[in-house]
């Protein structure tokens, strides 16, 4: 009964804070952490100690999967080089830089355990992405930050495992490199398989509620076998989410897509809020455990402060040349476009050639880099958005109980996570406004892009409706005048009982909508339209199809 009451109060607190925090200008995760800290310090509240396995196995897989499902796959591919550098190389550099500092600052810690703590403090948290999205900063910055937060957890956790192995003397550099390569390979393979199976099975099971229930299992179905085979379960969950999100437009019904969107947003809200609430609730227990260690809270706070400065410095040194390379790439767009145009002209005589689509995609990539360049202001936001959070705290608590200075290390991890949420999370919106980036990305696709996309989709609808072999559900042909009116979005009045003409119009409209959806999936592969425009168009098609289907079912 007590546990049930705690869960109810926790959900209520998460819902209320999520609704009210933006109104008072406070970052929701930070508000939840502060509430948790306040509750943990009350004298009648017992110490809260959550098994970190619950977070690593029960919370992070669905959280990362939920974020990956909505990740714009096309933009992710375009900026994969930058995302990969932030997710792998930067994590390694940060871990070793922090490791050198902790080995010097904490006597007797040892370089292996110091690097383990560095790995714990290296991965960023996805909370920055939600802040940047809300501010309307360039979607390209959002994609980079979101991709980094999804993938850097694997690098940090594999490095943590290798460093802990070195503490016991059972580690070599070559073994660590092979372990990392194997962990990523297995995770990607398992994620691809589970994502593919999810799309096929759920396309076969048309029952929306049953399909949604199966969808809840997918992140765990990817996580568990990957971990069993020595891979990264979190990366497997991310890959399964990307595959599912990319294939949903082709394989799922509008009802399935709508159900998934609503349900996963709810799960993401509750789980993410619970993680930050628990972070605050565990403070009292962490302090009690740390009172007997050397230096106490003051020593841990000093270590955490210096660690945050090192993290920001290393991130700045990595992001600066990254932004320079991206700017240089944008300046070379014209030369690349001339070469690709020449190749496109040569391939025009061979319409069957598979390279034609790759050339069109490459040209679209160049347009993307030219239209959304990254400058020093974007780089500043990327640096400042490197907050730490749930993974850092969960990873710290996976340290073995007999680890030297364990209480100190856990407290340092907590202070770094809470400190970056407080300082960086609390000032990120102000920084974006000062840099003039707030609102630059707009709130949706441009009118010109939507008009171009509508031309493509309506051409597909006209082709489908104009097919002379097309038949009504009763086997009769459609009236030619009705076909023309449907293409102009003509519909019958919304009577309770549909007339024959109205039903015929709605059936034609359904055929047109499905043809438009097929065309939308097809043009997505060319990369000529942004993910936000494609998602907007898909949402409109889904909404209209659901409305028509409800009218037909009601009759």
């Amino acid at each position: 009964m007590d546990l049930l009451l705690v869960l109810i109060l926790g959900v209520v607190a998460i819902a209320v804070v999520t609704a009210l925090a933006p109104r008072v200008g406070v970052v929701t995760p930070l508000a939840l952490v502060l509430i948790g800290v306040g509750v943990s310090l009350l004298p009648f509240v017992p110490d809260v100690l959550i098994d970190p396995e619950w977070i690593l196995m029960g919370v992070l897989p669905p959280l990362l999967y939920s974020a990956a499902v909505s990740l714009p796959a096309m933009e992710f591919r375009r900026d994969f080089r930058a995302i990969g550098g932030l997710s792998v190389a930067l994590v390694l550099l940060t871990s070793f830089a922090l490791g050198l500092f902790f080995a010097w600052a904490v006597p007797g810690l040892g370089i292996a355990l110091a690097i383990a703590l560095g790995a714990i403090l290296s991965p960023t948290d996805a909370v920055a992405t939600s802040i940047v999205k809300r501010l309307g900063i360039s979607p390209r910055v959002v994609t980079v930050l979101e991709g980094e937060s999804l993938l850097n957890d694997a690098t940090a956790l594999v490095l943590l495992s290798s460093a802990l192995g070195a503490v016991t003397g059972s580690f070599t550099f070559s073994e660590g490199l092979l372990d990392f390569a194997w962990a990523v390979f297995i995770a990607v393979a398992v994620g691809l398989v589970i994502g593919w199976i999810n799309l096929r099975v759920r396309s076969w099971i048309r029952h929306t509620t049953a399909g949604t229930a199966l969808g809840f299992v997918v992140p765990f179905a990817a996580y568990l076998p990957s971990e069993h085979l020595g891979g990264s379960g979190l990366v497997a969950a991310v890959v399964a989410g990307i595959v599912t999100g990319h294939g949903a437009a082709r394989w799922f019904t509008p009802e399935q897509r709508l159900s998934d969107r609503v349900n996963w947003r709810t799960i993401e809200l509750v789980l993410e809020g619970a993680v930050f609430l628990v972070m605050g609730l565990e403070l009292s227990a962490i302090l009690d455990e740390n009172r007997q260690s050397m230096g106490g809270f003051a020593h841990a706070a000093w270590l955490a402060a210096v660690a945050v400065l090192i993290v920001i410095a290393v991130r700045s040194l990595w992001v600066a040349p990254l932004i320079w390379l991206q700017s240089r790439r944008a300046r070379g767009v014209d030369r690349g476009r001339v070469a690709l145009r020449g190749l496109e002209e040569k391939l025009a005589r061979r319409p069957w050639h598979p390279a034609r689509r790759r050339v069109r995609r490459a040209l679209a990539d160049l347009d993307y880099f030219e239209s959304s360049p990254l400058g020093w202001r974007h780089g500043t936001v990327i640096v400042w958005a490197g907050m730490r959070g749930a993974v850092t705290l969960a990873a710290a608590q996976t340290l073995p109980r007999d680890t030297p200075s364990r209480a100190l290390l856990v407290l340092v991890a907590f202070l770094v996570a809470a400190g970056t949420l407080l300082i960086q999370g609390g000032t990120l919106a102000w920084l974006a406004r000062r840099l003039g980036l707030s609102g630059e990305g707009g709130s949706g696709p441009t009118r010109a892009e939507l008009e171009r996309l509508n031309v493509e989709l309506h051409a597909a609808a006209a082709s489908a409706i104009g097919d002379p072999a097309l038949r009504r559900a009763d086997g009769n042909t459609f009236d030619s005048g009705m076909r023309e009116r449907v293409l102009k979005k003509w519909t019958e009045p919304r009577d309770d009982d549909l007339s024959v003409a109205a039903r015929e119009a709605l059936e034609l409209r359904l055929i047109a909508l499905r043809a438009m959806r097929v065309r939308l999936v097809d043009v997505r592969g060319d990369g000529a339209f942004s993910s936000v425009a494609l998602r907007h168009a898909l949402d409109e098609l889904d909404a209209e199809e659901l409305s028509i289907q409800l009218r037909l079912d009601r009759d």
Side-chain angles (χ1 to χ4, degrees):
M1 182 66 72
D2 291 341
L3 178 59
L4 179 61
L5 180 60
V6 169
L7 291 175
I8 292 173
L9 292 175
V11 172
V12 170
I14 292 169
V16 171
V17 171
T18 301
L20 296 182
R23 298 184 181 182
V24 296
V26 179
V27 180
T28 301
L30 177 60
L32 289 170
V33 169
L34 294 177
I35 289 174
V37 169
V39 173
S40 73
L41 297 177
L42 295 176
F44 56 84
V45 175
D47 289 345
V48 176
L49 286 173
I50 302 295
D51 188 343
E53 292 298 319
W54 281 98
I55 296 178
L56 289 174
M57 295 180 60
V59 175
L60 292 183
L63 262 182
L64 295 178
Y65 174 86
S66 176
V69 165
S70 59
L71 185 72
M74 181 171 54
E75 284 82 354
F76 179 80
R77 173 188 60 80
R78 286 167 169 165
D79 280 310
F80 183 75
R81 193 180 307 174
I83 293 170
L86 291 169
S87 303
V88 180
L90 180 58
V91 169
L92 296 176
L93 286 174
T94 304
S95 300
F96 283 102
L98 290 171
L100 292 175
F101 165 68
F102 287 123
W104 168 80
V106 183
L109 188 63
I111 186 63
L113 195 54
I115 291 176
L117 179 57
I120 289 170
L121 300 179
S122 294
T124 57
D125 194 87
V127 65
T129 307
S130 61
I131 299 174
V132 173
K133 280 182 179 177
R134 191 169 65 248
L135 293 173
I137 296 176
S138 168
R140 192 174 178 189
V141 174
V142 175
T143 301
V144 170
L145 291 174
E146 195 166 21
E148 178 194 11
S149 66
L150 288 174
L151 298 181
N152 61 11
D153 301 334
T155 307
L157 293 175
V158 172
L159 180 59
L160 172 61
S161 176
S162 299
L164 291 177
V167 174
T168 62
S170 58
F171 171 81
T172 64
F173 178 79
S174 59
E175 288 177 349
L177 189 61
L178 287 174
D179 287 345
F180 178 77
W182 177 254
V184 173
F185 172 76
I186 287 296
V188 172
V190 172
L192 288 173
V193 170
I194 296 299
W196 183 86
I197 292 174
N198 178 41
L199 289 172
R200 299 312 188 271
V201 171
R202 293 187 59 195
S203 66
W204 175 66
I205 299 176
R206 292 291 178 171
H207 192 286
T208 303
T209 307
T212 301
L214 285 176
F216 293 154
V217 179
V218 174
F220 305 105
Y223 180 92
L224 293 174
S226 180
E227 288 288 327
H228 180 72
L229 295 172
S232 170
L234 297 181
V235 171
V238 168
V239 173
I242 293 175
V243 172
T244 300
H246 190 66
R250 181 187 299 274
W251 295 97
F252 291 171
T253 65
E255 294 92 334
Q256 287 174 314
R257 285 190 290 272
L258 178 62
S259 175
D260 274 13
R261 187 182 303 119
V262 173
N263 285 294
W264 277 113
R265 282 181 181 175
T266 304
I267 290 174
E268 188 175 352
L269 172 71
V270 174
L271 291 181
E272 189 176 75
V275 168
F276 290 107
L277 196 59
V278 168
M279 275 182 63
L281 289 171
E282 289 186 323
L283 177 63
S284 180
I286 293 173
L287 289 175
D288 289 341
E289 190 178 1
N290 196 69
R291 283 194 180 99
Q292 304 302 321
S293 65
M294 57 181 180
F297 180 83
H299 184 53
W302 175 77
L303 292 174
V306 176
V308 170
L309 294 177
I310 292 174
V311 164
I312 294 174
V314 173
R315 190 173 178 85
S316 301
L317 292 174
W318 180 266
V319 171
L322 173 68
I323 296 297
W324 178 79
L325 288 173
Q326 295 299 320
S327 301
R328 184 181 179 185
R329 189 177 187 181
R331 289 194 297 270
V333 160
D334 291 336
R335 293 192 302 272
R337 186 180 285 115
V338 170
L340 287 171
R341 291 294 184 194
L343 182 58
E344 187 180 36
E345 291 176 3
K346 292 179 181 179
L347 292 173
R349 295 187 294 272
R350 291 180 283 179
W352 47 266
H353 202 289
R356 291 189 66 196
R357 185 163 206 174
R358 290 197 294 271
V359 170
R360 288 199 303 269
R361 186 183 299 165
L363 285 169
D365 290 349
L366 293 180
D367 293 338
Y368 170 79
F369 294 130
E370 186 178 43
S371 63
S372 56
L374 295 178
W376 68 269
R377 296 181 301 161
H378 302 100
T380 303
V381 170
I382 291 173
V383 169
W384 201 244
M387 292 168 275
R388 273 55 182 169
V391 176
T392 290
L393 193 64
Q397 294 185 69
T398 61
L399 292 172
R401 291 290 173 183
D402 58 351
T403 301
S405 305
R406 182 184 186 279
L408 176 65
L409 303 185
V410 174
L411 181 57
V412 168
F414 176 90
L415 292 176
V416 169
T420 53
L421 281 174
L422 175 63
I423 299 171
Q424 294 171 247
T427 58
L428 184 57
W430 172 84
L431 177 65
R433 287 192 293 268
R434 291 285 295 178
L435 293 172
L437 296 178
S438 183
E440 71 158 358
S443 57
T446 63
R447 181 181 296 275
E449 185 178 26
L450 287 179
E451 288 176 353
R452 286 194 300 114
L453 182 55
N454 282 333
V455 170
E456 292 277 353
L457 300 185
H458 283 99
S463 177
I465 292 178
D467 184 0
L470 193 64
R471 292 290 187 273
R472 291 170 41 186
D474 58 10
N476 296 319
T477 59
F478 287 98
D479 178 70
S480 59
M482 183 67 72
R483 295 177 191 238
E484 295 178 5
R485 289 194 292 271
V486 165
L487 284 176
K488 298 177 181 178
K489 293 192 175 183
W490 175 87
T491 56
E492 283 282 314
R494 294 181 175 272
D495 301 327
D496 291 336
D497 297 322
L498 291 178
S499 64
V500 174
R503 177 170 286 277
E504 184 179 28
L506 293 179
E507 287 182 14
L508 270 174
R509 189 63 188 162
L510 278 179
I511 293 170
L513 290 172
R514 288 161 186 167
M516 293 164 79
R517 184 177 296 107
V518 171
R519 181 57 182 160
L520 185 146
V521 173
D522 189 46
V523 299
R524 181 180 61 181
D526 294 339
F529 299 96
S530 66
S531 292
V532 65
L534 294 170
R535 190 179 301 117
H536 178 86
L538 180 62
D539 288 344
E540 287 196 338
L541 295 178
D542 285 350
E544 187 171 357
E545 181 171 338
L546 287 172
S547 175
I548 292 174
Q549 198 62 59
L550 284 173
R551 291 193 65 196
L552 291 173
D553 292 343
R554 185 184 61 188
D555 183 46

